[in-house]
Amino acid sequence: MPITVTPEEARAIVKDAYLYGWPLSENYNTLYAYSIDTENPNYKAPFNQICNLPGVATPEDTAVVTPNSDTPYSFICADLRAEPLVLTVPPMTPEDRYFSFQLIDLYTFNFSYIGTRATGNDGGSFLLAGPSWEGADRSRFDGISYSESHFALVIVRTQLFNPNDLPNVEAIQNQYKVQTLSQFLGTPPPPPPPSIEWPAPLVGAPGKTPAVFGNINFMLQFCPINPTEVGLMERFARIGVGAGLPFDVNDLSPEMLAAFEGGIADAWQAFEAINAQVDAGELKTSDFFGTRDFLNNNYLYRFAGAKLGIYGNSKEEALYPVYSVDANEQKLDASTSQYTLTLTELPPAKAFWSVTMYDAKTQLLVDNPINRYLLNSPMLDSFVRGEDNSITFYIQKEAPNEGLQPNWLPTPDGAFYMGMRLYVPERSALDGEWTPPPVRRVDTSAR
């Protein structure tokens, strides 16, 4: 489709189309690695099959920054073109174990959840349907979720209480089941969907070039136009962006190429401005993740979420306060200081909470002599409490006095940060009535 606007007009449209489409391209990179490229080190399983990762992150794991060591993961890349999938989960054991199936469409919206908060811990069979499914007998399902796109990603988290609990988590993961609807019903399958010629992913810097619009157009063909975006798609079509449209950077004139590059630069400048608001505490990253209705077509927020932490949970599922400075706004550095974090009340989480240590330079877990990377609510009975029943965590590179070691969170010998996680946060955390207690630097001059 020929471009029908001036370079000046194109630059403004490119900015908006890039903010809209880049998260889809990033999402495609994950789907390609997880279920298409069998040679990729991050390959998980073919479409419509589950991959269970029974372990949790350790300092040896370097593929993901700020890794979660609370919940072993499972992954499903769903192809919903031919028919829905049925996801079957067992009752949780023990009955208070947290789990969640986070359902993410190609736009990166968290369109639904299955799990402790959303559907309970009694187990059941849940239908995951794409946009073309018209439905049949629904009485056999404990819930139905609809994806706006024909492909979806499912991220499964299953709570690990302690290292000795790992066999129990594996037993639960082995009971998670993924079936097509016809397999579940025992009926003949529908005709298979057409085969797809998958384009090469554009990871990192290539995704910041005009070439990314080729992959955006590819992804859009699996995303039926939302009624709220008809006008938007008509506008994007004026620069050759749309579902299945051919896009070749080599077809752009020098003036139009400059307009595309300028529009992309403008998009990143808009992101940097919003990221500065996050750093200043004026915005929370939890505002960037959720359903289409929650984000209300705020494409800059969706872009920021994909950049800062793609596939982040919706805030009603989990909140992630980050500690990067102490109570005096000084960067955390264990090479020169020791710190404490005192809980006069427990973090308000209906499921559980944790505090995890990360090396600021690598953004990875910290190797230490006791192999302790976090402190969390399943450890409550082991913590030493003060006379007022408070709990003080000792955050330092060397062990505290022997009687306080249950409360020790080892640091690196240098800069660090900590991530608090609240799974199924209470209303007080969601409304901002509760704020995380500060980390305080310990005055060791008198010692």
CSV table of all heavy atoms in Angstrom, one decimal, residues 85-115:
chain,number,residue,atom,x,y,z
A,85,LEU,N,-8.5,-24.0,23.6
A,85,LEU,CA,-7.8,-24.9,24.5
A,85,LEU,C,-8.6,-25.1,25.8
A,85,LEU,O,-9.3,-24.2,26.2
A,85,LEU,CB,-6.4,-24.4,24.8
A,85,LEU,CG,-5.4,-24.3,23.7
A,85,LEU,CD1,-4.0,-23.8,24.2
A,85,LEU,CD2,-5.2,-25.7,23.0
A,86,VAL,N,-8.4,-26.2,26.4
A,86,VAL,CA,-8.9,-26.5,27.8
A,86,VAL,C,-7.7,-26.7,28.7
A,86,VAL,O,-6.9,-27.5,28.5
A,86,VAL,CB,-9.8,-27.7,27.8
A,86,VAL,CG1,-10.4,-27.9,29.2
A,86,VAL,CG2,-11.0,-27.5,26.8
A,87,LEU,N,-7.7,-25.8,29.7
A,87,LEU,CA,-6.6,-25.8,30.7
A,87,LEU,C,-7.2,-26.5,32.0
A,87,LEU,O,-8.1,-25.9,32.6
A,87,LEU,CB,-6.1,-24.4,31.0
A,87,LEU,CG,-5.7,-23.6,29.8
A,87,LEU,CD1,-5.3,-22.2,30.2
A,87,LEU,CD2,-4.6,-24.3,29.0
A,88,THR,N,-6.6,-27.6,32.4
A,88,THR,CA,-7.1,-28.3,33.6
A,88,THR,C,-6.1,-28.2,34.7
A,88,THR,O,-4.9,-28.5,34.5
A,88,THR,CB,-7.4,-29.8,33.3
A,88,THR,OG1,-8.4,-29.8,32.2
A,88,THR,CG2,-8.0,-30.5,34.5
A,89,VAL,N,-6.6,-27.8,35.9
A,89,VAL,CA,-5.7,-27.7,37.0
A,89,VAL,C,-6.2,-28.5,38.2
A,89,VAL,O,-7.4,-28.7,38.3
A,89,VAL,CB,-5.5,-26.2,37.5
A,89,VAL,CG1,-5.0,-25.4,36.3
A,89,VAL,CG2,-6.9,-25.6,37.9
A,90,PRO,N,-5.3,-29.1,39.0
A,90,PRO,CA,-5.8,-29.9,40.1
A,90,PRO,C,-6.1,-29.0,41.3
A,90,PRO,O,-5.7,-27.8,41.4
A,90,PRO,CB,-4.6,-30.7,40.4
A,90,PRO,CG,-3.4,-29.8,40.1
A,90,PRO,CD,-3.9,-29.0,38.9
A,91,PRO,N,-6.8,-29.5,42.3
A,91,PRO,CA,-6.9,-28.8,43.6
A,91,PRO,C,-5.5,-28.6,44.2
A,91,PRO,O,-4.6,-29.4,44.1
A,91,PRO,CB,-7.8,-29.7,44.5
A,91,PRO,CG,-8.5,-30.6,43.5
A,91,PRO,CD,-7.5,-30.8,42.4
A,92,MET,N,-5.3,-27.4,44.8
A,92,MET,CA,-4.0,-27.1,45.3
A,92,MET,C,-3.8,-27.9,46.6
A,92,MET,O,-4.7,-28.0,47.4
A,92,MET,CB,-3.8,-25.6,45.6
A,92,MET,CG,-3.6,-24.8,44.4
A,92,MET,SD,-2.1,-25.2,43.4
A,92,MET,CE,-2.8,-25.9,41.9
A,93,THR,N,-2.6,-28.3,46.8
A,93,THR,CA,-2.2,-29.0,48.1
A,93,THR,C,-0.9,-28.3,48.6
A,93,THR,O,0.1,-28.3,47.8
A,93,THR,CB,-2.0,-30.5,47.9
A,93,THR,OG1,-1.0,-30.7,46.9
A,93,THR,CG2,-3.3,-31.2,47.6
A,94,PRO,N,-0.8,-27.8,49.8
A,94,PRO,CA,-2.0,-27.7,50.7
A,94,PRO,C,-2.9,-26.6,50.1
A,94,PRO,O,-2.6,-26.0,49.1
A,94,PRO,CB,-1.3,-27.2,52.0
A,94,PRO,CG,-0.1,-26.5,51.6
A,94,PRO,CD,0.4,-27.3,50.4
A,95,GLU,N,-4.1,-26.5,50.7
A,95,GLU,CA,-5.1,-25.7,50.1
A,95,GLU,C,-4.8,-24.2,50.0
A,95,GLU,O,-5.5,-23.5,49.3
A,95,GLU,CB,-6.5,-26.0,50.8
A,95,GLU,CG,-6.4,-25.6,52.3
A,95,GLU,CD,-7.7,-25.9,53.0
A,95,GLU,OE1,-8.5,-26.8,52.4
A,95,GLU,OE2,-8.0,-25.4,54.1
A,96,ASP,N,-3.8,-23.8,50.8
A,96,ASP,CA,-3.5,-22.3,50.7
A,96,ASP,C,-2.3,-22.0,49.8
A,96,ASP,O,-1.8,-20.9,49.8
A,96,ASP,CB,-3.2,-21.8,52.1
A,96,ASP,CG,-2.0,-22.5,52.8
A,96,ASP,OD1,-1.5,-23.5,52.3
A,96,ASP,OD2,-1.4,-21.9,53.8
A,97,ARG,N,-1.9,-23.0,49.0
A,97,ARG,CA,-0.8,-22.7,48.1
A,97,ARG,C,-1.3,-21.8,47.0
A,97,ARG,O,-2.3,-22.0,46.3
A,97,ARG,CB,-0.2,-24.0,47.5
A,97,ARG,CG,1.0,-23.8,46.6
A,97,ARG,CD,1.4,-25.1,45.8
A,97,ARG,NE,1.7,-26.2,46.7
A,97,ARG,CZ,2.9,-26.4,47.3
A,97,ARG,NH1,3.9,-25.6,47.0
A,97,ARG,NH2,3.0,-27.5,48.0
A,98,TYR,N,-0.5,-20.7,46.7
A,98,TYR,CA,-0.9,-19.8,45.7
A,98,TYR,C,-0.4,-20.3,44.3
A,98,TYR,O,0.6,-20.9,44.1
A,98,TYR,CB,-0.1,-18.4,45.9
A,98,TYR,CG,-0.2,-17.5,44.7
A,98,TYR,CD1,-1.3,-16.6,44.6
A,98,TYR,CD2,0.8,-17.4,43.8
A,98,TYR,CE1,-1.4,-15.8,43.5
A,98,TYR,CE2,0.7,-16.6,42.7
A,98,TYR,CZ,-0.4,-15.7,42.6
A,98,TYR,OH,-0.5,-14.9,41.5
A,99,PHE,N,-1.3,-20.1,43.3
A,99,PHE,CA,-0.9,-20.3,41.9
A,99,PHE,C,-1.7,-19.4,41.0
A,99,PHE,O,-2.7,-18.8,41.4
A,99,PHE,CB,-1.2,-21.8,41.5
A,99,PHE,CG,-2.6,-22.1,41.1
A,99,PHE,CD1,-3.0,-22.2,39.8
A,99,PHE,CD2,-3.7,-22.1,42.0
A,99,PHE,CE1,-4.3,-22.5,39.4
A,99,PHE,CE2,-5.0,-22.4,41.6
A,99,PHE,CZ,-5.3,-22.5,40.3
A,100,SER,N,-1.2,-19.2,39.8
A,100,SER,CA,-1.9,-18.3,38.9
A,100,SER,C,-1.5,-18.7,37.4
A,100,SER,O,-0.4,-19.1,37.2
A,100,SER,CB,-1.6,-16.9,39.1
A,100,SER,OG,-0.3,-16.5,38.8
A,101,PHE,N,-2.5,-18.7,36.6
A,101,PHE,CA,-2.3,-18.8,35.1
A,101,PHE,C,-2.6,-17.4,34.6
A,101,PHE,O,-3.8,-16.9,34.6
A,101,PHE,CB,-3.3,-19.7,34.5
A,101,PHE,CG,-3.0,-21.2,34.6
A,101,PHE,CD1,-2.7,-21.8,35.8
A,101,PHE,CD2,-2.9,-22.0,33.5
A,101,PHE,CE1,-2.4,-23.1,36.0
A,101,PHE,CE2,-2.6,-23.4,33.6
A,101,PHE,CZ,-2.3,-23.9,34.9
A,102,GLN,N,-1.6,-16.7,34.1
A,102,GLN,CA,-1.7,-15.3,33.6
A,102,GLN,C,-1.9,-15.5,32.1
A,102,GLN,O,-1.1,-16.0,31.4
A,102,GLN,CB,-0.5,-14.5,33.9
A,102,GLN,CG,-0.5,-13.1,33.3
A,102,GLN,CD,0.9,-12.4,33.6
A,102,GLN,OE1,1.8,-13.1,34.1
A,102,GLN,NE2,1.0,-11.2,33.1
A,103,LEU,N,-3.0,-15.0,31.6
A,103,LEU,CA,-3.4,-15.1,30.1
A,103,LEU,C,-3.1,-13.8,29.4
A,103,LEU,O,-3.7,-12.7,29.8
A,103,LEU,CB,-4.9,-15.5,30.0
A,103,LEU,CG,-5.3,-16.7,30.8
A,103,LEU,CD1,-6.8,-17.0,30.5
A,103,LEU,CD2,-4.5,-17.9,30.6
A,104,ILE,N,-2.2,-13.8,28.4
A,104,ILE,CA,-1.7,-12.6,27.8
A,104,ILE,C,-2.0,-12.7,26.3
A,104,ILE,O,-1.6,-13.7,25.7
A,104,ILE,CB,-0.2,-12.4,28.1
A,104,ILE,CG1,0.1,-12.5,29.6
A,104,ILE,CG2,0.3,-11.1,27.5
A,104,ILE,CD1,1.5,-12.9,29.9
A,105,ASP,N,-2.6,-11.7,25.7
A,105,ASP,CA,-2.8,-11.7,24.3
A,105,ASP,C,-1.7,-11.1,23.5
A,105,ASP,O,-0.7,-10.7,24.1
A,105,ASP,CB,-4.2,-11.1,23.9
A,105,ASP,CG,-4.3,-9.6,24.2
A,105,ASP,OD1,-3.2,-8.9,24.3
A,105,ASP,OD2,-5.4,-9.1,24.4
A,106,LEU,N,-1.8,-11.0,22.2
A,106,LEU,CA,-0.7,-10.5,21.4
A,106,LEU,C,-0.4,-9.1,21.6
A,106,LEU,O,0.7,-8.6,21.4
A,106,LEU,CB,-0.9,-10.8,19.9
A,106,LEU,CG,-0.9,-12.2,19.4
A,106,LEU,CD1,-1.0,-12.3,17.9
A,106,LEU,CD2,0.4,-13.0,19.9
A,107,TYR,N,-1.4,-8.3,22.1
A,107,TYR,CA,-1.2,-6.9,22.4
A,107,TYR,C,-0.3,-6.7,23.7
A,107,TYR,O,0.1,-5.6,24.0
A,107,TYR,CB,-2.5,-6.2,22.6
A,107,TYR,CG,-3.4,-6.2,21.4
A,107,TYR,CD1,-4.5,-7.0,21.3
A,107,TYR,CD2,-3.2,-5.3,20.4
A,107,TYR,CE1,-5.4,-6.9,20.2
A,107,TYR,CE2,-4.0,-5.2,19.3
A,107,TYR,CZ,-5.1,-6.0,19.2
A,107,TYR,OH,-6.0,-6.0,18.1
A,108,THR,N,-0.2,-7.8,24.5
A,108,THR,CA,0.4,-7.8,25.8
A,108,THR,C,-0.6,-7.4,26.9
A,108,THR,O,-0.2,-7.2,28.0
A,108,THR,CB,1.7,-7.0,26.0
A,108,THR,OG1,1.4,-5.6,25.9
A,108,THR,CG2,2.7,-7.4,25.0
A,109,PHE,N,-1.9,-7.4,26.6
A,109,PHE,CA,-2.9,-7.2,27.6
A,109,PHE,C,-3.0,-8.5,28.5
A,109,PHE,O,-3.0,-9.6,27.9
A,109,PHE,CB,-4.3,-6.9,27.0
A,109,PHE,CG,-4.4,-5.6,26.4
A,109,PHE,CD1,-4.9,-5.5,25.1
A,109,PHE,CD2,-4.1,-4.4,27.0
A,109,PHE,CE1,-5.0,-4.3,24.4
A,109,PHE,CE2,-4.2,-3.2,26.4
A,109,PHE,CZ,-4.7,-3.1,25.1
A,110,ASN,N,-3.1,-8.3,29.8
A,110,ASN,CA,-3.5,-9.5,30.7
A,110,ASN,C,-5.0,-9.6,30.6
A,110,ASN,O,-5.7,-9.0,31.4
A,110,ASN,CB,-3.0,-9.2,32.1
A,110,ASN,CG,-1.5,-9.1,32.2
A,110,ASN,OD1,-0.8,-9.7,31.5
A,110,ASN,ND2,-1.1,-8.3,33.2
A,111,PHE,N,-5.5,-10.4,29.7
A,111,PHE,CA,-7.0,-10.4,29.5
A,111,PHE,C,-7.7,-11.2,30.5
A,111,PHE,O,-8.9,-11.1,30.6
A,111,PHE,CB,-7.3,-10.8,28.1
A,111,PHE,CG,-6.9,-12.2,27.7
A,111,PHE,CD1,-7.8,-13.2,27.8
A,111,PHE,CD2,-5.7,-12.4,27.0
A,111,PHE,CE1,-7.5,-14.5,27.5
A,111,PHE,CE2,-5.4,-13.7,26.6
A,111,PHE,CZ,-6.2,-14.8,26.8
A,112,SER,N,-7.1,-12.1,31.2
A,112,SER,CA,-7.8,-12.9,32.2
A,112,SER,C,-6.8,-13.7,33.1
A,112,SER,O,-5.6,-13.7,32.8
A,112,SER,CB,-8.7,-13.9,31.5
A,112,SER,OG,-9.6,-14.6,32.4
A,113,TYR,N,-7.3,-14.2,34.2
A,113,TYR,CA,-6.5,-15.1,35.1
A,113,TYR,C,-7.3,-16.3,35.5
A,113,TYR,O,-8.5,-16.3,35.6
A,113,TYR,CB,-6.1,-14.3,36.3
A,113,TYR,CG,-4.9,-13.4,36.2
A,113,TYR,CD1,-5.1,-12.1,35.8
A,113,TYR,CD2,-3.7,-13.8,36.6
A,113,TYR,CE1,-4.0,-11.2,35.7
A,113,TYR,CE2,-2.6,-13.0,36.5
A,113,TYR,CZ,-2.7,-11.7,36.0
A,113,TYR,OH,-1.7,-10.8,35.9
A,114,ILE,N,-6.6,-17.4,35.7
A,114,ILE,CA,-7.1,-18.5,36.4
A,114,ILE,C,-6.2,-18.7,37.6
A,114,ILE,O,-4.9,-18.6,37.5
A,114,ILE,CB,-7.0,-19.8,35.5
A,114,ILE,CG1,-7.8,-19.6,34.2
A,114,ILE,CG2,-7.4,-21.1,36.3
A,114,ILE,CD1,-7.5,-20.6,33.2
A,115,GLY,N,-6.7,-18.9,38.8
A,115,GLY,CA,-5.8,-19.1,39.9
A,115,GLY,C,-6.4,-18.8,41.3
A,115,GLY,O,-7.7,-18.6,41.4
